[in-house]
Amino acid sequence: MDMKSNNHQQQQQVLDGSDIVELVENEKVFDKFVEQKFQQLDQDEDGKLSVTELQPAVADIGAALGLPAQGTSPDSDHIYSEVLNEFTHGSQEKVSKTEFKEVLSDILLGMAAGLKRDPIVILRMDGEDLSEFVHGPGYEIELVSVFSELSSCEDASLRDCIVKALQSLSVDHGMPPSNDPWVMSNIVEPIVDSCLDEEDKREKSASQEKFLEAFKRVVERVAQRLNEQPVIVAHSENTFDGSGVRRLLSNKFEFDKALNVALETIPKDRHGKVSKEYLRAVLDTVAPSATLPPIGAVSQMDNMIMEALKMVNGDDGNMVKEEEFKKTMAEILGSIMLQLEGNPISVSSNSVVHEPLTSATFLPPTLNETEEPSN
């Protein structure tokens, strides 16, 4: 990410997973952390965690992975089930503290590995960069371009046009993501309404001059609001170009190792055969080794995976020998690799977080990038 000033650079924190590794590897500190979280979850205080008591932990892990809330997306819900199965081994009704610690350690180290590959940058937005932008030499030229692209403004009110134009400003401008519900309801809408009178709010087909004047007034007020109450934003960006898949497929030992680990948790019939309906689950387990996102996290990637599964009749539910299952998995990954090499997928995300980064939730404070401000 291109930071605009030394001041901005001084107000960023990079989450690269090192804090999580340090937590897990410090036995004394990690034991205390596990004890605290276990007690929070053990509502009936029987010294074990039931499936119901584990649900908050599973939900927090899903949030830390950037997944939609449980129950809102079939594509990602199975990941929540897999996380729960990790704790219960698919059949246990109760989980001991020792088992909880072991699984939690594995999950956190997996998250740390993901952050090492794709660090998250924590930005403190205090209005300074936004103020520099609005008073800079390129401001008017950029906003004229934005106005010309707002074709829908011919029939929309000046208020709606300004709200839409604010969404074109990014964290590089010093603007928190205005499509974030908290930013929209606590910053964008109140400030736009306070800067426009009732007649201006309703006015349609506003001139470029009037739009530029009103928009500048709004942005200056947003910068002032951020100066008074800074907002913390977690920014991450990644490009999936197939290179990670190619590296995995070219290393037969690593590929077989990743598949064998994934297949250990998959049920087999008495002949050792595996149902093809588990291709998606195994692919999701192997995804980190291939530098791919979890299923359900990136819609474009999900569509690509669906196409690859269709090519091998991945949803027919047929039982196949383990070697054929592995061969099919290689074909799926090969298809994904070729598609990504020809058409890489770039993902950039911004999430509003608390300031300071503290929380009493299940995960270490450094992972709570998905939370909204409490002010």
Side-chain angles (χ1 to χ4, degrees):
M1 179 180 170
D2 181 23
M3 299 302 168
K4 290 188 171 185
S5 65
N6 290 332
N7 178 63
H8 199 160
Q9 288 178 356
Q10 292 170 0
Q11 299 187 63
Q12 63 167 306
Q13 172 190 355
V14 179
L15 304 183
D16 60 3
S18 57
D19 288 344
I20 303 173
V21 174
E22 185 177 347
L23 168 70
V24 175
E25 291 183 347
N26 187 322
E27 187 172 350
K28 184 177 180 180
V29 174
F30 188 56
D31 282 344
K32 183 178 180 181
F33 175 76
V34 170
E35 179 69 29
Q36 177 188 359
K37 299 308 173 186
F38 192 89
Q39 288 181 5
Q40 289 174 359
L41 295 170
D42 187 14
Q43 294 297 307
D44 60 8
E45 299 181 352
D46 67 347
K48 291 192 175 183
L49 299 180
S50 65
V51 170
T52 301
E53 290 172 331
L54 282 166
Q55 288 298 338
V58 174
D60 281 333
I61 290 170
L65 290 171
L67 299 178
Q70 191 169 8
T72 62
S73 170
D75 287 334
S76 58
D77 279 354
H78 76 94
I79 301 177
Y80 287 100
S81 297
E82 289 173 17
V83 171
L84 181 61
N85 285 340
E86 284 292 314
F87 283 110
T88 65
H89 301 292
S91 59
Q92 293 178 218
E93 294 183 1
K94 294 276 189 176
V95 176
S96 68
K97 188 184 299 182
T98 300
E99 292 167 326
F100 176 73
K101 177 183 175 181
E102 289 174 354
V103 176
L104 178 57
S105 172
D106 290 342
I107 289 175
L108 290 181
L109 289 176
M111 289 181 177
L115 285 171
K116 185 176 181 179
R117 288 193 307 269
D118 306 307
I120 293 174
V121 180
I122 303 298
L123 302 171
R124 185 175 187 271
M125 320 221 79
D126 61 3
E128 183 167 330
D129 286 343
L130 189 59
S131 182
E132 286 181 8
F133 164 67
V134 77
H135 295 108
Y139 167 77
E140 188 164 331
I141 295 174
E142 186 166 342
L143 262 294
V144 167
S145 175
V146 169
F147 180 77
S148 66
E149 294 174 2
L150 294 176
S151 57
S152 60
C153 276
E154 296 177 3
D155 301 315
S157 66
L158 177 60
R159 179 191 185 279
D160 290 342
C161 286
I162 289 176
V163 170
K164 189 171 183 180
L166 281 171
Q167 295 176 0
S168 69
L169 300 186
S170 68
V171 293
D172 283 334
H173 297 99
M175 179 71 190
S178 58
N179 58 350
D180 179 278
W182 186 90
V183 175
M184 180 61 71
S185 61
N186 288 272
I187 297 179
V188 173
E189 292 178 337
I191 289 178
V192 171
D193 288 340
S194 69
C195 289
L196 300 177
D197 58 35
E198 291 303 319
E199 185 177 343
D200 285 341
K201 291 177 189 177
R202 295 190 298 269
E203 181 178 349
K204 294 186 178 182
S205 302
S207 66
Q208 175 178 293
E209 182 180 358
K210 183 148 192 179
F211 168 81
L212 292 176
E213 179 186 347
F215 189 81
K216 186 172 186 178
R217 194 160 61 244
V218 167
V219 177
E220 287 177 334
R221 180 64 188 90
V222 171
Q224 181 183 340
R225 159 65 170 76
L226 292 174
N227 180 257
E228 296 165 354
Q229 292 178 287
V231 170
I232 304 300
V233 173
H235 173 82
S236 65
E237 50 188 57
N238 194 9
T239 298
F240 303 103
D241 58 6
S243 58
V245 184
R246 180 172 290 280
R247 280 194 300 272
L248 180 64
L249 291 178
S250 64
N251 189 326
K252 188 176 185 306
F253 174 79
E254 288 298 326
F255 181 53
D256 285 342
K257 180 181 176 182
L259 281 182
N260 289 335
V261 169
L263 284 167
E264 284 179 1
T265 61
I266 301 300
K268 304 173 182 63
D269 69 8
R270 59 192 181 91
H271 301 294
K273 291 186 176 181
V274 185
S275 172
K276 288 169 71 175
E277 68 182 17
Y278 290 106
L279 283 169
R280 187 194 301 261
V282 171
L283 177 61
D284 206 41
T285 304
V286 173
S289 301
T291 321
L292 295 175
I295 295 175
V298 180
S299 58
Q300 290 171 278
M301 185 68 70
D302 291 345
N303 294 335
M304 192 174 289
I305 289 170
M306 288 298 295
E307 289 300 315
L309 286 168
K310 285 179 183 178
M311 288 178 59
V312 297
N313 297 317
D315 293 325
D316 62 17
N318 287 345
M319 302 295 293
V320 296
K321 292 181 179 179
E322 194 169 300
E323 285 307 310
E324 184 178 345
F325 188 95
K326 290 181 177 180
K327 181 180 177 183
T328 303
M329 182 59 60
E331 291 175 2
I332 292 171
L333 286 169
S335 172
I336 294 171
M337 177 190 73
L338 292 175
Q339 291 185 69
L340 289 175
E341 287 179 341
N343 186 25
I345 295 176
S346 295
V347 179
S348 176
S349 63
N350 299 287
S351 302
V352 179
V353 301
H354 281 292
E355 181 192 9
L357 295 175
T358 58
S359 171
T361 60
F362 171 76
L363 298 174
T366 51
L367 288 178
N368 292 301
E369 68 268 13
T370 57
E371 297 185 3
E372 295 177 357
S374 57
N375 54 324

